[in-house]
Amino acid sequence: MATTSRRYATPMKMSIAPKGSSVQNIRAYDDPRAVEAMVHFMYGFEYDSSGSDLGRVSPMLFNINVYQVADKFEVPQLKQKAKDKFETIARTCWEMDDYPIAISEAYQRTHKGDRGLRDILVSISHEHLEKLLENEDFRTVLEEVLGFAADLVRHSPGNTGVKKYCCPNCNFNWMLGHSAGNISYRCPKCSSQRSNWDDFIVKG
């Protein structure tokens, strides 16, 4: 039996659809590969996380698109499946170039109250924060993606030890999973080195 959407009482039909159906609500900005994955899933088939014959894409980014489409068309089972696939891939591939892009995409494509993908990204980023701060693209995400840095401080597991610092040389804000103490660290942006970072903790 086909999986049905909460939004629509019957499975999607790839034919002429009545007004208000799921087909007519698909817009140009919905990734056609993600829509195809939804159709496959609703008819009982697994979907390929790397895309389809319509074109291959980063598995992390593809599952974000599937998650968004599943949320839009209210297919909770698919949304959970996309979340699970995304987490498995992200926890393995957090050092890949598309990880910072995935953070940006997830935060742009989900609303603030939808913690599904956001909490996964926050957890992974907190776990590997010191290594990720060596990545310029990740530092850019910290500065530019609305809400991510705040989530990293407030919501990540064991976040009570996270400290945010402001470099007095370049004014870049960066974080450690613990107090810097008297250990010498370099600013991830300008490479300024000092051992008194605790004098430059950002409060509030």
Side-chain angles (χ1 to χ4, degrees), residues 5 18 27 83 89 95 105 109 134 169 182-183 187 190:
S5 162
R27 303 300 184 208
K83 175 186 171 183
I89 295 166
E95 291 185 278
E105 287 292 304
R109 292 176 176 272
E134 298 174 6
N169 187 56
N182 295 322
I183 300 174
C187 169
C190 71

Side-chain angles (χ1 to χ4, degrees), residues 111-128:
H111 58 81
K112 185 177 180 180
D114 186 343
R115 303 303 312 175
L117 301 183
R118 294 185 179 209
D119 282 348
I120 291 169
L121 290 164
V122 165
S123 173
I124 295 170
S125 298
H126 179 270
E127 182 179 353
H128 303 287

Side-chain angles (χ1 to χ4, degrees), residues 80-100:
Q80 183 63 47
K81 173 69 74 173
K83 175 186 171 183
D84 292 344
K85 282 175 173 278
F86 175 81
E87 180 168 15
T88 298
I89 295 166
R91 289 197 178 280
T92 303
C93 303
W94 60 270
E95 291 185 278
M96 302 294 286
D97 291 342
D98 53 354
Y99 182 73

Side-chain angles (χ1 to χ4, degrees), residues 7-200:
R7 185 172 178 179
Y8 306 104
T10 58
M12 287 177 58
K13 303 294 185 182
M14 300 310 290
S15 59
I16 297 175
K19 184 177 180 180
S21 74
S22 55
V23 174
Q24 288 205 355
N25 276 280
I26 295 172
R27 303 300 184 208
Y29 49 75
D30 291 318
D31 182 349
R33 291 162 298 201
V35 173
E36 181 183 34
M38 178 175 67
V39 174
H40 279 224
F41 183 82
M42 291 175 74
Y43 282 95
F45 299 103
E46 182 60 272
Y47 70 86
D48 184 348
S49 288
S50 61
S52 69
D53 292 339
L54 293 172
R56 298 294 167 179
V57 68
S58 156
M60 261 192 287
L61 302 182
F62 180 66
N63 280 293
I64 291 172
N65 291 342
V66 174
Y67 183 92
Q68 180 204 20
V69 167
D71 180 65
K72 176 180 178 179
F73 293 99
E74 299 181 20
V75 188
Q77 299 96 326
L78 177 59
K79 187 176 179 181
Q80 183 63 47
K81 173 69 74 173
K83 175 186 171 183
D84 292 344
K85 282 175 173 278
F86 175 81
E87 180 168 15
T88 298
I89 295 166
R91 289 197 178 280
T92 303
C93 303
W94 60 270
E95 291 185 278
M96 302 294 286
D97 291 342
D98 53 354
Y99 182 73
I101 300 172
I103 296 171
S104 179
E105 287 292 304
Y107 271 73
Q108 289 182 46
R109 292 176 176 272
T110 61
H111 58 81
K112 185 177 180 180
D114 186 343
R115 303 303 312 175
L117 301 183
R118 294 185 179 209
D119 282 348
I120 291 169
L121 290 164
V122 165
S123 173
I124 295 170
S125 298
H126 179 270
E127 182 179 353
H128 303 287
L129 186 58
E130 292 185 44
K131 181 68 176 178
L132 285 168
L133 284 170
E134 298 174 6
N135 183 324
E136 182 178 355
D137 291 335
F138 181 80
R139 297 197 302 268
T140 298
V141 163
L142 276 176
E143 288 187 304
E144 297 182 358
V145 175
L146 184 65
F148 175 61
D151 282 349
L152 193 58
V153 172
R154 288 197 300 262
H155 298 293
S156 58
N159 65 3
T160 54
V162 173
K163 301 295 182 182
K164 185 176 182 180
Y165 299 94
C166 180
C167 177
N169 187 56
C170 67
N171 292 320
F172 177 72
N173 289 337
W174 60 285
M175 288 176 284
L176 277 175
H178 52 80
S179 173
N182 295 322
I183 300 174
S184 181
Y185 287 98
R186 291 184 182 274
C187 169
K189 185 172 184 179
C190 71
S191 297
S192 172
Q193 186 171 8
R194 60 182 63 249
S195 58
N196 63 331
W197 282 107
D198 282 353
D199 292 340
F200 302 97

